[in-house]
Amino acid sequence: MTEQSDRPYHHGDLRRAVIETALAMLHEEEGWQFTLREVARRAGVSHAAPYKHFPDKAALLAELALIGFDRLRETLLAALPASAASLRETFLPVARAYVAFGEANPALYRLMFGADAGKPSEVHLSERALSTFAILTDFLARGQEAGLIRERPVPGQAAACWAQLHGLTMLVIDGLLLPEKVGDDAVTAALTTLLEGIEA
Amino acid sequence: MTEQSDRPYHHGDLRRAVIETALAMLHEEEGWQFTLREVARRAGVSHAAPYKHFPDKAALLAELALIGFDRLRETLLAALPASAASLRETFLPVARAYVAFGEANPALYRLMFGADAGKPSEVHLSERALSTFAILTDFLARGQEAGLIRERPVPGQAAACWAQLHGLTMLVIDGLLLPEKVGDDAVTAALTTLLEGIEA
DNA sequence: ACCTGAACACCGTTCAAGT
DNA sequence: ACCTGAACACCGTTCAAGT
């Protein structure tokens, strides 16, 4: 649990340790305003050591965001039902998995969409973000072929779905969909509205 | 433009000056990571002076977010057409005004939904945020009465619309709806899908 | 009542020096 | 090749002291 004075001078796998420590801190706080020095402290190294593995803090944040998008992709793919039944039976599990991912990892989810915060140079990151979009695109294209989903240009339809899922997740994380204002299950209601906009 | 040495010891209306300087800095950058010391510098006062008007930086951010929600509300109300024609003619202008507000004020919009970042104590702020929700609720309720909008429980339907607009705005601000990936006008496509989910 | 200047405890980042 | 310790230029925040 705690590494004391007998810790070797060389950490061994500091890069991974920094990432895992940072991910752990993301789970403890609700925002991603942790400090690099604190990460180094908890990893048991000097505050300068992480700079041997990441050029700066932004690079670590970008790395964490990439991991987040990978995990989201895996979560969505795992939620896809094997058998294609009705649209509700195939789409709702995926949609709920998306929102649940954000609820379970609020700080990470925020970081994924806020780390660059206006730096359009993070090409890697937006490419990875678009893997989410690609999953939706595939899903909708297959649904249209099967006659379950209204025939519309797929990219725009996928953008609509992504926007709905992203907005819903953000509002949930922000605690803005209060039951007393918005009804008992705003998520279900919102997803139902989306369904009614895409079903054949 | 610049106030030099003949500036009086007492600013006069420092509170307003701090807010306006901060708003100006929000427009210059894409994120809201400005420093309080820089605000004070540009307002021509010492870095400690703002603390006489705001208990801390979070309080200033909350104030800016409140202003943002007020401006968004005014923008939406101004975009509401006087004559109620078809649903497309009444809803699309409001929806486009919402997204356009985010595009025109990316840092402010981000701040509005990210300033508290997990502090659920900011009751004032979430109350103000819900004024956006209230506008949508009124709009949908009137639309249902007029037979333009599908009859569904209004709070859930409003949550769906808010989520779609919020998610769309965030994705646009983040530069994630690239034309080459998502089509020429992803915003129109997404709003059309939403329309098809709520029209009678 | 409102503002300043010095001070405190922090950051992110760099770099010569250690192992 | 990898890590440390001191150092630099910053922050946010506080507080006695000035006007």
Side-chain angles (χ1 to χ4, degrees):
Chain A
M1 195 62 90
T2 78
E3 58 280 350
Q4 295 288 357
S5 52
D6 52 352
R7 175 174 51 81
Y9 188 89
H10 287 80
H11 184 285
D13 198 355
L14 182 54
R15 186 172 208 281
R16 182 191 311 243
V18 165
I19 289 175
E20 282 175 3
T21 304
L23 282 173
M25 290 174 72
L26 278 182
H27 267 270
E28 291 167 20
E29 309 177 27
E30 311 199 44
W32 44 279
Q33 273 64 35
F34 63 81
T35 73
L36 209 47
R37 287 174 103 109
E38 173 74 16
V39 173
R41 226 171 275 139
R42 288 178 49 159
V45 293
S46 82
H47 59 259
Y51 285 87
K52 285 291 151 186
H53 302 274
F54 302 94
D56 52 23
K57 188 182 179 183
L60 172 59
L61 293 178
E63 187 78 30
L64 297 174
L66 286 181
I67 292 172
F69 278 115
D70 286 344
R71 289 188 181 175
L72 175 59
R73 202 192 70 245
E74 288 163 19
T75 300
L76 295 182
L77 292 177
L80 269 173
S83 65
S86 74
L87 178 60
R88 276 178 163 71
E89 284 167 353
T90 53
F91 185 70
L92 277 186
V94 178
R96 288 193 186 283
Y98 190 109
V99 178
F101 178 86
E103 281 186 276
N105 311 279
L108 180 59
Y109 190 84
R110 260 193 232 272
L111 169 63
M112 287 158 58
F113 289 93
D116 52 354
K119 273 159 267 161
S121 55
E122 299 286 354
V123 183
H124 281 289
L125 196 50
S126 55
E127 273 177 11
R128 203 68 65 104
L130 289 174
S131 69
T132 306
F133 182 75
I135 291 176
L136 293 172
T137 300
D138 290 350
F139 179 85
L140 293 172
R142 281 205 302 271
Q144 287 195 14
E145 285 174 20
L148 292 172
I149 292 181
R150 204 171 305 185
E151 292 201 8
R152 294 286 181 275
V154 170
Q157 201 176 40
C161 291
W162 193 18
Q164 180 73 264
L165 294 176
H166 181 50
L168 204 48
T169 302
M170 286 296 232
L171 293 178
V172 166
I173 289 177
D174 286 346
L176 253 24
L177 294 186
L178 307 167
E180 64 267 27
K181 294 278 184 183
V182 154
D184 272 341
D185 194 351
V187 172
T188 299
L191 292 180
T192 301
T193 299
L194 175 60
L195 263 179
E196 295 187 350
I198 65 172
E199 68 188 350
Chain B
M1 195 64 86
T2 77
E3 58 280 350
Q4 295 289 358
S5 53
D6 52 351
R7 175 174 51 82
Y9 188 89
H10 287 80
H11 183 284
D13 198 356
L14 182 54
R15 186 172 209 281
R16 182 190 313 242
V18 164
I19 289 175
E20 281 176 2
T21 304
L23 283 174
M25 292 173 71
L26 277 183
H27 268 272
E28 291 167 19
E29 309 177 27
E30 311 199 45
W32 44 279
Q33 272 64 33
F34 63 82
T35 72
L36 208 48
R37 287 173 103 111
E38 174 74 16
V39 173
R41 226 171 274 139
R42 289 176 51 158
V45 294
S46 82
H47 59 259
Y51 284 87
K52 284 292 149 186
H53 301 275
F54 303 94
D56 51 25
K57 187 182 179 183
L60 172 59
L61 293 178
E63 187 78 30
L64 297 175
L66 286 181
I67 293 172
F69 279 114
D70 286 344
R71 289 187 181 176
L72 176 58
R73 201 192 71 244
E74 287 163 20
T75 300
L76 295 182
L77 292 177
L80 268 174
S83 65
S86 74
L87 178 60
R88 275 178 163 72
E89 284 166 352
T90 53
F91 185 70
L92 276 186
V94 178
R96 287 192 186 285
Y98 190 108
V99 178
F101 178 86
E103 281 187 277
N105 310 278
L108 180 58
Y109 190 83
R110 260 193 233 272
L111 170 62
M112 286 158 59
F113 288 93
D116 51 355
K119 274 159 267 162
S121 55
E122 298 286 354
V123 183
H124 281 288
L125 196 50
S126 56
E127 273 177 11
R128 203 70 64 103
L130 289 173
S131 69
T132 306
F133 182 75
I135 292 177
L136 292 173
T137 299
D138 290 350
F139 179 85
L140 294 172
R142 281 205 302 271
Q144 286 196 15
E145 284 175 22
L148 293 172
I149 292 180
R150 203 171 306 186
E151 293 200 6
R152 294 287 182 276
V154 170
Q157 201 175 41
C161 291
W162 194 18
Q164 180 74 264
L165 294 176
H166 181 49
L168 204 48
T169 303
M170 286 295 233
L171 291 179
V172 166
I173 291 178
D174 286 346
L176 254 21
L177 295 185
L178 307 168
E180 64 267 28
K181 294 278 183 182
V182 155
D184 272 343
D185 195 349
V187 173
T188 299
L191 292 179
T192 301
T193 299
L194 176 59
L195 264 178
E196 295 187 350
I198 65 172
E199 67 188 350

